[in-house]
Structures are given as structure tokens and as C-alpha cells.
Amino acid sequence: MAHIYDLAPSVSLPTTPNYTRNRLTTPSAVRFPQTDVFRSINTPSRFEGDVFDLEFSGTIPPEINGTFYRIQPDHRFPPLFEDDIHFNGDGSVTAIRIANGHADFKQRYVHTQRYKLETAARKSLFGRYRNPFTDNESVRGVIRTASNTNITFWRGMLLASKEDGPPHAMDPETLETLGRYDFEGQILSPTFTAHPKFDPETGEMLCFAYEAGGDGADCSIDVGVWTLNADGKKTEEAWYKAPFAGMIHDAGGEQHPQLPEDRVNSPHQLSAGYLTPKQAKSAVTDLPHAQGETVWVADERVTPSRVWLTNGEFSRIDDRCVTKPYRHFWQAVIDPSKPYDFAKCGPPAGGMFNSLGHYVWDEDNYHASSPDGGSAEEVDVGTQKGKFGSEDVYFAGPTMTFQEPTFIPRTDGKEGEGYLIALLNHLDTLRNDVVIFDAQDLKKGPVAVIHLPRKLKLGLHGNFLDHRDIEAWKERRKEGGDVGLVKVAGEGELLPWQVKYHEEESKDDKLLNGNGV
């Protein structure tokens, strides 16, 4: 009987390159590029499935009753271009359902139009990120979004979103994709933010879209801003012209805007922000920049009054404090002073987020305009850098990194009382755990570690949802309920930009035929 190693030459992967001059030349061979985007922890996961009752160490707090959702870009087919990027992968949603001290796992792709067309073709059809001119001819005029950046809860549904297209609605329990969601015909822009904001007091959604005037990929400078009330009705709509075409990744807001025209700011990578009501000309934000740089804003009247030097990204707050002053924030931290085992792990894919940090503003700097209560103009921002409160940091170890953390509030607890949950990457063994910490005592280490049986990729954003919200909306959303079934866009319904595209295509065809071509 032959030893398995004797068979290795006959079963080894082909050595023929799958790409020639950066282009996919043999799409029938399912082989991904041998680049850092597709290796190590970022090797495509490419699966959907369920695991009931996950293994865990420690004690999962029995009072946690809800679901931790997170989303990752995950290519299903070799891309058309060898140097494709991580952000161009199909959206794949993870749900960790936690109840009674146990946890279950569910993984599903977002079934976008892109997903369906490529499934039918068994190959990639969409080219470079946000560049429709590199697509296969068969998908011209198709909504290109992969819905792979954030997963949020809105009125009984999950919204999987990416800022290059409209969101897609999903069932919060089954993760079934319900369809493209246009807020029942109220928002028909080609793009939509991956970072809508939800007012915990009014139930409103504040949302926006950039590059919203054309097809979403033509460098339009149009920016749309909307408010939808708790009943899902659009109550405000405003349009602006940006100074240039550029990313408006996230936004901040506050309860009583002193500057209505600045209700949505435009910083890149602003994950949690607050404009002080007493000093409309100053702003305090938790900025994930290693050197403590300020952010670009279109209106120079808004300047930072504090720059807390941190080295990390993915800042999170207690979402019950959105639009209000807050003291606690958390983020994934890069600590270059800690050891890293490069020999075992190779380059730290996605960044060396080797720690989690909890930060608490002290009383003297609790969103004040200046230490002595003076105006923002009296503060020399150049000298107001450093630490303005307490820091509590947990280091994962030399072979591990974290993905974005999410705060789980304790029922009826004060701000910051609860748990912090995050995905932990084991870069040496290529596997993942879900870790749960006491949110105000990270240095003690996780109270529970949930072990996943499958490797996941680097994700982007996620959120925790209390199961009471799911149950309440499930009753309202059932057929005959007071809200009714989720209404998604029909398969044949087109966005305005698509209608215009097909009209122009028809005119071109008629012109060509008229000339005898």
C-alpha cells in the first residue's frame, strides 16, 4: 500500500500560473493569487454553515442574551486581477448567538446581485474596486456592491452595507438575504454609508452617501444626507456639493446641533465623535491615528480641542451615548513595544493590533473646551496632546491580533458597564477565538474564550444586538404584525442611475443600427 507522501506529486497543485501580466487567464482553475491579500489569515474562507454549542474556556456571562454580528470581505472566486485588494471580497456575515452561558455560530454570504451573477457563472465577473470599466461586459449596468463593510440593525432587519452601493436587508436570526433595501423607495441614491448613526432616544437613523450624484463610481461630488424617524419615514433630506470627490467614511453628530449645516462632518476614519454643545467651534473625537494628527473637515470652524495620543483603530463607545457626551471608549491598539513572533506568523495581516484598550476621560477633560473652561481659541492645540484620563490595555501575546471590539451594555447599567467582545486572530495556527472581557477591566484578561472551529478572515465592522430587540421586532414584522414584512426592492426594480444607463445604451444601439453598423 502506497504511503500518502508517495502520492503527493500526483495530487499537488498545478504549477501553471493562473495569471498572466496581472490578469486572470485560466478562470476555470480555482486558484487564488499568491499575494499577501490571499494568504495566511486572509486565505479565503469561502463557506456558509452553522455550529451549535461552541467550545469555550472560562465562563460566558449568563446575563448576556444576544448576538454578536461581524462582517468580512471574502472572495468566492479568484479575482480578475492578481493584485486585487481585500476590500473587494464578497460580504460574509458571522453571527455568534449567546444565551444561557452558551454560544452558537452561523456564517452566511450576503446574496447581492453580484453574488448571484458570479455564482451562476462560477467565476469572477466584477473587476477592480469601484471601477466598472474593468468588469466583464455581461455585468455592465449592474449594482456592483459586495455589501461587506458593516452589519447594523434597523427596524427588525440587518443591513449589510458598503459605501459604494445600497444596503441589503438580512434576517437577524437566519441571516437569509431578503434583498436590496431602499427604505421602501425613499432613498434611491447609487451609494449609501456603511456607518449610519442611530439616536438611542428618538430611534432616528442619521445617514448619508457620497459620490451620490451619478452611478457611484464616477467621482461625483454630490453628498446626500437623510434622517429617518423611528417609524422608518424620511423626515429630512439635504444635498451638498463636496469640495472634491473623496471618501466620507464615517460621521459624528450631537443632540442639539449648533451648526445645522454641519450635521454630518466629513472626517476619514472618524469612528466615534462628539461636537460639544457649549462650544460649537470645538470638537472632541476619538481619533485612531498613531501620531495624533487632526482630521480634515470641510468647515475650518470645527477644530479639535483635545488630541489623545493613541496608536490604534476601530474606536467604539457605549452606543447608548451616541449623540451625547461620553467618558468611555475602547479601541484595537497597536503596541510596537510588545514582542511579535515574525518567524511563526509572518507579516501581521491587517495591522499589528496586538492589544485592546479602554480609555476614560477624566473630569478636567470630559469634553471640555479647555482645561480652565476658556474658549477653544485659547487652547493651543499643538500643546494639548497626550493622555487626558485613564488607560487600561490588554496585550494578546506575540502571535495574536484583535479585530474590531464591540461593547455589550449591562442591562440597566451605567455608561461603560458591561462587556467587550472581539474576534482574536491566532496568526501562528490560523484560527480564531471570540473573546469576552469585563469592559472596565481589560487587563485581567478575558472572562470567556469561545473557540471557533473554522478560520475566519479579517473583518471590518460589527455590532451586538440584544435578543429582546430581535424578539420584539420579530412579532411586529410577521405577516399581520403592526409593521409587516420587510419590503425590499423587487428583482426587476432599477435605481435611477441604472434606468439612465439603459436608456443611453438603447440610444447608442439605435444610432449604430441607423448607420448600418
Side-chain angles (χ1 to χ4, degrees), residues 62-76:
E63 62 267 34
I64 297 179
N65 182 17
T67 304
F68 170 48
Y69 299 100
R70 45 84 69 183
I71 192 167
Q72 64 184 29
D74 191 2
H75 288 74
R76 297 172 60 243

Side-chain angles (χ1 to χ4, degrees), residues 66-72 92-98 106-107 149-154 156-159 170-175 316 404-406 408 421-423 434 460-467 469-471:
T67 304
F68 170 48
Y69 299 100
R70 45 84 69 183
I71 192 167
Q72 64 184 29
S92 183
V93 178
T94 307
I96 305 295
R97 172 73 175 100
I98 302 174
K106 189 181 295 289
Q107 189 79 23
T149 302
N150 204 356
I151 187 80
T152 53
F153 184 75
W154 170 246
M157 74 194 86
L158 297 175
L159 292 180
M170 302 181 76
D171 184 289
E173 291 189 301
T174 66
L175 296 187
R316 300 302 298 260
E404 180 189 54
T406 296
I408 303 174
I421 189 169
L423 206 70
V434 175
L460 296 174
H461 301 291
N463 294 281
F464 180 83
L465 180 61
D466 191 300
H467 198 66
D469 293 328
I470 294 179
E471 287 296 321

Side-chain angles (χ1 to χ4, degrees), residues 13 22 46 83 86 106 123 201 246 315 317 352 355 446-447:
L13 291 175
N22 197 38
R46 305 180 73 215
D83 62 354
H86 178 61
K106 189 181 295 289
K123 64 179 180 180
E201 300 296 331
S315 296
I317 65 171
M352 197 169 69
S355 304
V447 298

Side-chain angles (χ1 to χ4, degrees), residues 18-95:
N18 214 23
Y19 292 84
T20 303
R21 295 180 180 179
N22 197 38
R23 291 180 177 270
L24 182 65
T25 52
T26 53
S28 59
V30 184
R31 297 198 302 276
F32 286 85
Q34 296 301 301
T35 65
D36 286 342
V37 173
F38 296 97
R39 63 165 61 111
S40 184
I41 199 73
N42 264 337
T43 301
S45 301
R46 305 180 73 215
F47 79 98
E48 295 184 319
D50 302 75
V51 180
F52 183 75
D53 221 7
L54 293 163
E55 293 183 89
F56 63 92
S57 305
T59 301
I60 299 175
E63 62 267 34
I64 297 179
N65 182 17
T67 304
F68 170 48
Y69 299 100
R70 45 84 69 183
I71 192 167
Q72 64 184 29
D74 191 2
H75 288 74
R76 297 172 60 243
F77 301 102
L80 294 183
F81 296 90
E82 188 174 18
D83 62 354
D84 202 17
I85 63 174
H86 178 61
F87 298 103
N88 211 18
D90 295 277
S92 183
V93 178
T94 307

Side-chain angles (χ1 to χ4, degrees), residues 269-451:
Q269 288 288 3
L270 168 57
S271 297
Y274 173 70
L275 300 183
T276 58
K278 294 181 180 179
Q279 293 290 336
K281 292 183 179 180
S282 68
V284 177
T285 57
D286 300 335
L287 302 178
H289 289 290
Q291 290 78 37
E293 304 100 324
T294 59
V295 295
W296 174 86
V297 292
D299 193 329
E300 295 180 356
R301 288 176 293 177
V302 180
T303 57
S305 62
R306 293 290 180 278
V307 179
W308 191 325
L309 289 177
T310 66
N311 191 355
E313 198 173 353
F314 301 119
S315 296
R316 300 302 298 260
I317 65 171
D318 183 335
D319 285 340
R320 297 172 299 178
C321 296
V322 170
T323 76
K324 305 173 187 178
Y326 61 87
R327 293 193 66 182
H328 300 264
F329 67 98
W330 299 263
Q331 69 174 208
V333 177
I334 298 172
D335 187 347
S337 70
K338 299 296 186 183
Y340 178 72
D341 196 328
F342 194 92
K344 288 184 178 180
C345 304
M352 197 169 69
F353 297 103
N354 56 8
S355 304
L356 287 179
H358 171 219
Y359 305 85
V360 186
W361 293 95
D362 62 31
E363 291 294 340
D364 293 335
N365 294 285
Y366 180 37
H367 294 300
S369 58
S370 66
D372 59 2
S375 66
E377 288 82 9
E378 296 172 352
V379 177
D380 181 0
V381 175
T383 64
Q384 295 297 317
K385 295 182 179 181
K387 304 182 188 306
F388 297 97
S390 63
E391 296 186 0
D392 171 25
V393 180
Y394 173 81
F395 170 58
T399 61
M400 292 170 274
T401 58
F402 288 103
Q403 299 192 27
E404 180 189 54
T406 296
F407 177 72
I408 303 174
R410 179 173 287 122
T411 302
D412 300 324
K414 297 178 182 178
E415 181 204 349
E417 291 183 349
Y419 301 95
L420 198 69
I421 189 169
L423 206 70
L424 179 67
N425 308 309
H426 292 266
L427 301 181
D428 55 343
T429 56
L430 300 183
R431 66 179 187 85
N432 299 96
D433 290 326
V434 175
V435 288
I436 302 175
F437 295 81
D438 180 334
Q440 295 195 26
D441 200 355
L442 301 186
K443 62 181 178 295
K444 274 191 174 181
V447 298
V449 180
I450 302 170
H451 308 293

